Amino acid sequence: MNTHDAIVAFSQCEKIKSGLIWLSQSLNFLPGLSEPAKPGAEQVLKALLGMIANEIQIIRRHNKDEFWLKTEKKLEVAMVMMNSGVPHEAGYHISQALSQVTTIGQRAMSHLKSEGLLTAGGPTN
């Protein structure tokens, strides 16, 4: 991984992880919704999943890391679950995608630290 790819991957990972956490937490609320509210909520969650998947496609085209492809496939399975009427099953695949993204982010962070571009203690005066 070169420094430019590490910077892009690190920043994208943080954004994507945030989206995946929001999505995962929101899926947990679905069972408690009234029946008339569920279809609308599911549509919103599908849209969010689609936006996250688009972000991953963008970074995957820029950075050929195989982990992005694995992450994308996990989200494809999650979308299939949501489209099949079992959105609660999507949570497992979203968790796996989150794990993949975390791994990518950790690798990028390690590279940036080794280059002296990122420090563990924050800014120093």
Side-chain angles (χ1 to χ4, degrees):
M1 179 178 294
N2 65 46
T3 300
H4 180 265
D5 288 347
I7 291 169
V8 172
F10 185 69
S11 64
Q12 285 296 100
C13 282
E14 293 306 303
K15 178 172 51 172
I16 292 167
K17 283 190 322 186
S18 177
L20 290 170
I21 291 167
W22 275 91
L23 180 59
S24 178
Q25 292 300 308
S26 297
L27 279 170
N28 291 332
F29 290 113
L30 277 178
L33 294 176
S34 67
E35 288 304 314
K38 284 183 183 179
E42 288 175 10
Q43 286 301 110
V44 169
L45 295 178
K46 286 178 192 178
L48 178 58
L49 178 56
M51 288 186 282
I52 296 166
N54 286 340
E55 289 295 322
I56 290 171
Q57 285 177 354
I58 291 168
I59 188 70
R60 187 175 57 78
R61 287 185 187 132
H62 170 77
N63 182 331
K64 302 298 183 192
D65 191 326
E66 70 181 59
F67 277 89
W68 288 116
L69 181 59
K70 290 178 182 179
T71 305
E72 190 174 30
K73 288 180 188 253
K74 297 293 181 192
L75 294 185
E76 287 173 2
V77 174
M79 185 62 86
V80 167
M81 296 294 153
M82 293 181 77
N83 287 335
S84 298
V86 286
H88 57 279
E89 295 291 331
Y92 172 77
H93 303 285
I94 291 166
S95 294
Q96 288 187 320
L98 179 59
S99 178
Q100 291 285 102
V101 174
T102 300
T103 299
I104 297 166
Q106 287 174 337
R107 287 183 19 217
M109 181 174 62
S110 293
H111 177 82
L112 295 172
K113 281 184 178 180
S114 73
E115 294 292 318
L117 297 171
L118 191 63
T119 59
T124 58
N125 293 329

